[in-house]
Amino acid sequence: MAARTFEEIEADLLAADGDEEDGERDEMKVKDEDDAAPIYNPKNLPLGWDGKPIPYWLYKLHGLNLEYKCEICGGLSYWGPREFERHFQEPRHAHSMRCLGIPNSKGFHGITMIDDAYALHKALQTETRKQKFVAEIDEEYEDSMGNVMPKKTYDDLGGRACSSQPAAGTACGPPGARANM
């Protein structure tokens, strides 16, 4: 066995490295060919984290077979209750509600038809109008005895406060005050 030179050893090592790289390249080509093959998905199920369709039972469990349409969003379809509920906070739905002149509040979640949204908005507006403060009805006065009464009753009594001995025929004072007369 003759002694080899440094160049001969280096050439053998480079050739060995080249063979290993060729083997790795061949494996990569095989993997790429496997990935390029179309995945069998006849029911058009959504893909999982691994790029393969999720099991059908899981698809049904999460309700992904249920389609929800939102007329407010321009007739978009949402698959599954989770995505449908989430879309009410999304900018698209909020913008569409603003364009209709309706606030995008929690009370409107679940409303997908434009006519229903307008009807609910009108009903909420009339309800809030009823709850507004009206001075003649809601304003209360207190007399010197501590009796609280609406403004109208106070004005009917002539604006005078009830004393400890009310005048005959008035309804002022505590119930026991008349019995002492």
Side-chain angles (χ1 to χ4, degrees):
M1 185 158 176
R4 297 185 333 173
T5 64
F6 180 74
E7 289 81 19
E8 291 173 339
I9 295 171
E10 193 174 71
D12 288 342
L13 289 174
L14 287 175
D17 286 342
D19 291 341
E20 289 177 11
E21 288 176 6
D22 289 340
E24 289 175 6
R25 285 188 196 133
D26 292 340
E27 289 175 12
M28 292 295 283
K29 287 180 186 177
V30 170
K31 286 181 184 177
D32 290 341
E33 290 171 4
D34 289 341
D35 291 341
I39 297 172
Y40 183 68
N41 191 2
K43 295 183 179 180
N44 199 21
L45 298 173
L47 302 178
W49 60 271
D50 57 354
K52 295 180 182 176
I54 63 171
Y56 189 68
W57 65 268
L58 189 62
Y59 175 76
K60 296 278 282 187
L61 178 70
H62 289 293
L64 299 176
N65 57 332
L66 303 174
E67 179 183 16
Y68 299 94
K69 289 193 178 226
C70 184
E71 184 181 312
I72 294 171
C73 294
L76 284 179
S77 295
Y78 298 95
W79 293 94
R82 184 176 174 193
E83 184 181 355
F84 177 68
E85 287 297 323
R86 193 181 304 157
H87 106 275
F88 290 110
Q89 285 88 19
E90 290 178 353
R92 180 183 191 106
H93 189 84
H95 175 71
S96 298
M97 291 289 281
R98 278 194 305 273
C99 289
L100 294 173
I102 300 172
N104 190 28
S105 64
K106 189 73 173 170
F108 290 95
H109 286 208
I111 305 295
T112 59
M113 304 297 288
I114 293 173
D115 295 336
D116 293 345
Y118 276 132
L120 180 60
H121 183 59
K122 185 176 180 181
L124 289 175
Q125 282 183 332
T126 57
E127 185 178 313
T128 55
R129 282 190 197 121
K130 289 178 185 176
Q131 293 177 353
K132 283 188 177 178
F133 180 80
V134 179
E136 294 176 7
I137 298 170
D138 297 331
E139 192 172 0
E140 295 180 340
Y141 284 84
E142 182 178 356
D143 64 2
S144 61
M145 295 293 292
N147 298 320
V148 178
M149 60 193 83
K151 181 179 191 267
K152 185 175 188 254
T153 306
Y154 187 80
D155 290 341
D156 288 345
L157 292 173
R160 61 184 170 356
C162 293
S163 63
S164 59
Q165 294 181 350
T170 61
C172 287
R178 275 201 193 139
N180 292 338
M181 290 199 317

